[in-house]
Amino acid sequence: DDVKSGVRVMMVDDVLATGGTMAACIGLLRSLGAEVIGAAFLMEIEALHGRDKLGGIDVCSLVKC
């Protein structure tokens, strides 16, 4: 309830695996009226294709394996 409509949000997490957790967070923020501008991760497990669940937002990963 602290997220104001129209606020721009950059999501940051440690690992992108299947994308389910980040997709749920993005959905929640959007339902509150936030604009999710991107997501950043320390590591991405590419074989699990988690990026595909994130609705086309910009994704940055420092390490891909």
Side-chain angles (χ1 to χ4, degrees):
D1 62 346
D2 264 353
V3 176
K4 306 294 185 237
S5 183
V7 69
R8 295 172 50 128
V9 178
M10 174 75 176
M11 300 295 298
V12 179
D13 201 1
D14 55 353
V15 177
L16 173 58
T18 64
T21 300
M22 186 58 72
C25 291
I26 290 169
L28 178 61
L29 286 165
R30 286 180 174 163
S31 74
L32 295 171
E35 176 188 358
V36 180
I37 60 169
F41 301 89
L42 292 176
M43 184 175 77
E44 178 179 353
I45 304 170
E46 292 181 296
L48 297 177
H49 306 286
R51 235 174 233 258
D52 298 342
K53 290 188 181 172
L54 302 184
I57 66 168
D58 288 333
V59 176
C60 174
S61 301
L62 294 179
V63 176
K64 296 179 182 180
C65 58

